[in-house]
Amino acid sequence: MSSSVRAFARREWGSLYAAVRTALAARGWRAVPMTLTAVCLTSLFQITQNQDWGYQPVQNLGSVRAEDPLWLALLRTPLSLFVPALDLPVWGALAQILLVFGIAEICLGRWRTLALAYLATLAGTLYARVGIALGPDGPLGLPASDARVVDTGPSAAVVGLAVYVCWRHRAWWTGSLVVVAMVVEVMVKNNLAGKEHLAAIAAVLVLVAAVAWRERRQEGSEPRPGTRSWKPPIRS
């Protein structure tokens, strides 16, 4: 490996690699308890929904469609993260959760990871309703038939978490590659899932902008050497 490639890898993934390696070396699998729980929950839903007696209960708990009442969709959205899509291999969903959720849990913490995952999934769920209302003629619209599509799985959450973690650890090229890949996905296969991924990315980018703006304000409000606030208080 040439020195330029090593330098790029160190610059792009060095911070991320160090954070993950340190956590796993210190605590092993105990560093990602939420991720392991999510993997087990997804596996349980997969096994259950493939049983004659289990399909409908899983649908009632975590199946979201745009034609559902909004209150019901919002109620089911958190668990829809962990219900694998029936038309896709479950190992893909499990691998996504283990890798991306695991890295995010180490780098961001479990509660922030869950909050971001829910934000990304919710953005996709709400976009589906907006897209169907816009109709199939516009670039952001969807056909009315998509209202009956079952919308489950972790993919929107995975994409959103990947973009946020890349931003937080300054992995600019990797984050950009994720965004470009999702755009290409929509161009090649213009379907509900692809556009929901873009909606998830848009929601996370809005959050990134808000967090970056807040951090800049906090940095700007910190006293600098030479200013009055750095001087000792005047004593009479």
Side-chain angles (χ1 to χ4, degrees):
M1 185 183 294
S2 67
S3 58
S4 59
V5 173
R6 286 197 299 269
F8 171 80
R10 192 161 45 245
R11 186 172 57 253
E12 182 73 5
W13 303 302
S15 170
L16 189 59
Y17 174 76
V20 173
R21 183 176 183 274
T22 300
L24 291 179
R27 303 182 60 196
W29 290 111
R30 291 176 299 165
V32 288
M34 183 271 294
T35 298
L36 296 179
T37 301
V39 169
C40 292
L41 183 60
T42 303
S43 301
L44 178 62
F45 276 136
Q46 172 68 7
I47 294 170
T48 303
Q49 73 178 352
N50 280 285
Q51 309 301 317
D52 292 338
W53 56 267
Y55 174 77
Q56 196 56 51
V58 171
Q59 294 296 299
N60 293 340
L61 286 172
S63 176
V64 177
R65 297 178 180 84
E67 66 180 4
D68 294 335
L70 181 59
W71 67 268
L72 183 59
L74 295 177
L75 194 63
R76 290 175 173 174
T77 295
L79 280 180
S80 73
L81 267 156
F82 309 109
V83 177
L86 287 169
D87 59 337
L88 296 174
V90 68
W91 62 263
L94 296 177
Q96 289 176 8
I97 293 173
L98 186 61
L99 179 63
V100 179
F101 274 61
I103 292 173
E105 185 176 3
I106 289 171
C107 296
L108 308 175
R110 72 187 66 168
W111 297 116
R112 187 175 297 178
T113 297
L114 280 175
L116 282 166
Y118 180 69
L119 170 68
T121 302
L122 183 61
T125 297
L126 296 178
Y127 158 74
R129 295 170 180 270
V130 174
I132 290 166
L134 291 174
D137 296 330
L140 300 178
L142 294 167
S145 59
D146 280 349
R148 297 186 294 275
V149 174
V150 177
D151 181 19
T152 60
S155 57
V158 164
V159 170
L161 285 171
V163 170
Y164 191 90
V165 169
C166 286
W167 168 74
R168 179 53 71 187
H169 283 268
R170 304 301 186 259
W172 305 118
W173 284 99
T174 306
S176 300
L177 183 61
V178 172
V179 176
V180 170
M182 295 303 103
V183 172
V184 171
E185 177 190 18
V186 171
M187 294 173 63
V188 172
K189 192 175 182 181
N190 188 13
N191 59 7
L192 174 62
K195 289 188 174 180
E196 283 190 344
H197 294 163
L198 293 183
I201 289 173
V204 169
L205 289 180
V206 169
L207 177 63
V208 164
V211 172
W213 175 79
R214 186 187 65 184
E215 290 178 351
R216 283 197 300 269
R217 285 201 63 185
Q218 290 175 344
E219 290 173 0
S221 63
E222 291 178 356
R224 293 171 296 175
T227 62
R228 177 73 187 188
S229 58
W230 279 74
K231 297 180 180 181
I234 298 173
R235 299 179 183 271
S236 57

